Structures are given as structure tokens and as C-alpha cells.
Amino acid sequence: MANVQTYFNKFDEKIRRSYNDNSILREKRDLLVNDLRVGLRRYFQDYNMRTPRFETFNQGSYAIGTGIEPLPGEDYDIDVGLVFHLSKNDHSSVQVKQWVHGALQSGNRTVEYKRPCVRVQYHRAGSEVYHVDLAVYSESPSDWDNQMYLAKGFPGSVPENRIWEVADPKKLVEVFQQRFQHQGDRDQFRRIIRFLKRWKDVTFSANGNERPTGIAISACALKWFQVGSVCNFMDGKNYYDDLTALKYLTESIINYFNFGSRITVSLPVPPYNDLFEKMSDKQMSNFKIKLVVLREELIRAEEAHNTLRACQNLQGVFGSDFPTQ
């Protein structure tokens, strides 16, 4: 059996994207937040009104340490939470998103409404280079539940889609950070998520809902990940083995599909929504088929008699960034 852990480590170094290590993305985020503060101040001064206070925090893959480099032709994404200190009873969700949208209408960027956020898209030479998704929240100690709410909807959407939805994004980060106490286990957990996120990006189209979301893949790992290790008979010690961990997790996801070839995995914090709900039955069936292919290739790599052959099998499912030497 070939030992490919060294190659998985190289692969992780190639695809891993850390917000803390990327000064350009940090700078872009900070500049955007500053522009928002200036734009809001200008907007409310024009109406002789007090500018609402807000705080920011990182969310998504940056916050839980599972970010990956985008594929060629796809852009970087940055997820930022904006917590406005106001009551959801005083302002509608769309109204607050309109403040953000209007305050950022300047410079070489496109600002658009998405149902769960306001997206700021940056371009260079006519190509999309990165975008920032600003999730807008309300939180007020004056509300009886002192709960955070996410602004959903946009101008023109039907009333039932223009809501303040209960949310707990900071708790979500805590859930991932506290999943394992041992640092080595936690590091493997994050590597496996990054590997599966690259697999889905290589395997599925980015158009529509064919590609599972990163948070859906991460929630699957949160639910079923098992530490993978092998024993070195020379020294009698156990060492982390990412191939084994990947195989365990892939098998667990496949086994959880019901007889209708669908899988339901909920966000582990409010609003506890099904993270696969937007996928059609056909897309879900294709997802399962691709998972089975991944499992078979992982098994072939595990059973390969030489390292080169094993890495070639893995490159077939993870893309050309997986090394063969």
C-alpha cells in the first residue's frame, strides 16, 4: 500500500487560503468597511439623522480556517458580517440592506442584492477578481430575546422573503473551533474539509445549484468526520493518514442518503436550515454518483502498489494541483 500523506500535505499547502496570511484580501476588506462607514455617515448626515453603529466580524471559511484557493477563472470570495445595533422592530430587513447598498455605490465595483447578503464585486481588466459578501444583521439588547437576526430579501422580492431571520453566526464558528480538543485532530479535520471543497469545485459546475456549498460540505464533516491514522510498525506509533479520513467521511456521507437518493444536513446553529435544500432531485442524485466515484478512487489509491499510481488516482478527482512527485 502506497503512503501518500506527504503528497496530501503538499496538496494542502497548495490549495489552502488563510485570511490572516493574505495581506491583500485583508486590506481590501478593511478598505471596504471604511468606505461603508464613510458612506453611511454621508447618507445620514444628508437627512440630519444619527448614523447607526455597526461592528464587523469574519464569517464563513475564513473564520473556521477552511478557505481554499479558487480555481482558475473563478474569483476570491470574502464573507463579512455586519452587526447593526438596532432593533429589527424599528427597521425592515430590506431597509437596512438598502443603507449598505447605497453607501457603497462608488469606485471600480458592482454592488448587488443577494437574498442573504449584499455582494460587492470587484473587477480588473473586465474580469471578476474577488467579491465580498456582506451579511447584514441586527442585534439589540432592547429586544426581549437579545438575538441576532439576518436581513434577508431585497427590493422587489415578495413580502414573505423580506424577513429578519434568526441566526447565530458567531456560535457556528465556535462549534467548528471546538469540534476537537487535540490540535492535530483539529488540523486534519480542517484539511479534510479543504480537500472535499476542492473536489466539489473540480467536479461540479459553479452555475446554479449543481455544486454543493462549502458550508454544506463542512457540516457533513462536522457530523461524520473521524480521525484517520495508520500504525507505523517500525516504531509502533500512529500517524495521521488523510486518505483514511477522507475514505471514512465519504463513505459516511454516501450511507446517509435515503432511498430517494437525497441527503439532509442541517446547519448546527439557528436557523437550522437544510443545507442541501436548494439541490434538485437530479442534482442530488448526481452528487451521490460523484461521491461514489470519489470513494472508489480513494480505495484504488489506497490499494495502489506504488506512490505514483496512487497520486495519479487522486489527481483524477482533486485536479492538477494534487502532486505526483
Side-chain angles (χ1 to χ4, degrees):
M1 184 177 71
N3 185 343
V4 294
Q5 184 58 40
T6 298
Y7 297 88
F8 271 112
N9 291 340
K10 291 180 180 178
F11 182 45
D12 185 56
E13 291 175 4
K14 178 76 173 179
I15 68 172
R16 184 175 64 237
R17 184 187 68 200
S18 169
Y19 177 78
N20 292 329
D21 296 335
N22 196 318
S23 60
I24 295 177
L25 292 184
R26 286 203 315 273
E27 178 185 348
K28 296 297 185 184
R29 172 195 178 276
D30 293 344
L31 286 172
L32 181 64
V33 171
N34 183 65
D35 285 352
L36 176 60
R37 293 189 188 281
V38 172
L40 286 175
R41 193 177 305 120
R42 183 186 306 115
Y43 175 85
F44 281 91
Q45 284 177 348
D46 288 344
Y47 289 92
N48 197 28
M49 297 170 62
R50 183 178 179 180
T51 306
R53 294 186 303 111
F54 71 89
E55 296 175 0
T56 66
F57 64 95
N58 290 334
Q59 61 176 35
S61 59
Y62 280 127
I64 63 177
T66 59
I68 63 171
E69 291 289 325
L71 293 176
E74 298 187 14
D75 63 335
Y76 287 91
D77 67 280
I78 307 172
D79 293 313
V80 178
L82 305 176
V83 186
F84 282 86
H85 300 289
L86 51 82
S87 172
K88 65 180 177 61
N89 298 316
D90 294 335
H91 305 279
S92 72
S93 61
V94 172
Q95 181 184 26
V96 181
K97 289 175 77 172
Q98 285 176 311
W99 297 345
V100 174
H101 186 276
L104 294 173
Q105 292 287 353
S106 64
N108 184 30
R109 59 196 177 205
T110 301
V111 186
E112 61 179 325
Y113 293 103
K114 298 290 184 180
R115 185 164 187 257
C117 66
V118 175
R119 175 168 294 180
V120 183
Q121 181 74 61
Y122 289 83
H123 304 81
R124 183 184 299 127
S127 298
E128 297 178 345
V129 288
Y130 73 93
H131 67 262
V132 183
D133 283 340
L134 299 168
V136 179
Y137 299 92
S138 76
E139 185 178 42
S140 173
S142 65
D143 289 342
W144 67 271
D145 56 0
N146 196 26
Q147 175 69 54
M148 190 179 293
Y149 290 85
L150 172 65
K152 304 194 78 171
F154 48 85
S157 57
V158 295
E160 56 265 32
N161 289 336
R162 303 167 66 169
I163 61 172
W164 285 108
E165 182 178 73
V166 63
D168 201 344
K170 295 180 180 179
K171 180 64 175 179
L172 179 63
V173 174
E174 292 178 12
V175 169
F176 277 93
Q177 291 177 338
Q178 297 172 2
R179 177 63 170 84
F180 295 97
Q181 296 301 313
H182 191 279
Q183 185 62 48
D185 296 351
R186 191 181 302 119
D187 288 344
Q188 187 183 61
F189 171 64
R190 287 174 173 153
R191 286 198 304 273
I192 297 307
I193 292 175
R194 288 193 287 266
F195 298 155
L196 283 179
K197 287 171 71 172
R198 173 50 66 93
W199 165 76
K200 75 173 180 65
D201 288 352
V202 167
T203 305
F204 301 94
S205 168
N207 298 323
N209 298 314
E210 179 183 354
R211 179 185 290 177
T213 63
I215 186 58
I217 293 295
S218 300
C220 287
L222 189 68
K223 193 176 183 70
W224 294 302
F225 173 81
Q226 300 176 58
V227 173
S229 64
V230 293
C231 180
N232 185 319
F233 294 103
M234 298 295 291
D235 59 17
K237 297 180 180 179
N238 285 325
Y239 293 89
Y240 288 105
D241 186 72
D242 291 353
L243 179 58
T244 298
L246 269 169
K247 188 180 67 172
Y248 285 161
L249 180 54
T250 303
E251 185 69 40
S252 295
I253 298 173
I254 293 170
N255 289 339
Y256 198 73
F257 275 80
N258 62 26
F259 292 111
S261 289
R262 288 198 68 88
I263 185 173
T264 299
V265 178
S266 300
L267 190 72
V269 298
Y272 304 109
N273 54 299
D274 176 15
L275 298 170
F276 289 104
E277 63 185 350
K278 291 184 178 180
M279 295 179 70
S280 67
D281 289 345
K282 182 178 180 180
Q283 290 168 340
M284 187 66 74
S285 177
N286 188 48
F287 178 39
K288 183 179 181 181
I289 290 171
K290 299 297 185 181
L291 281 167
V292 171
V293 171
L294 172 61
R295 178 187 61 187
E296 297 307 311
E297 291 304 320
L298 293 174
I299 292 173
R300 289 191 180 95
E302 184 179 52
E303 296 175 346
H305 294 296
N306 64 77
T307 302
L308 176 60
R309 183 57 189 160
C311 290
Q312 288 173 336
N313 284 112
L314 294 169
Q315 192 177 76
V317 289
F318 293 115
S320 59
D321 281 334
F322 195 95
T324 56
Q325 59 183 4

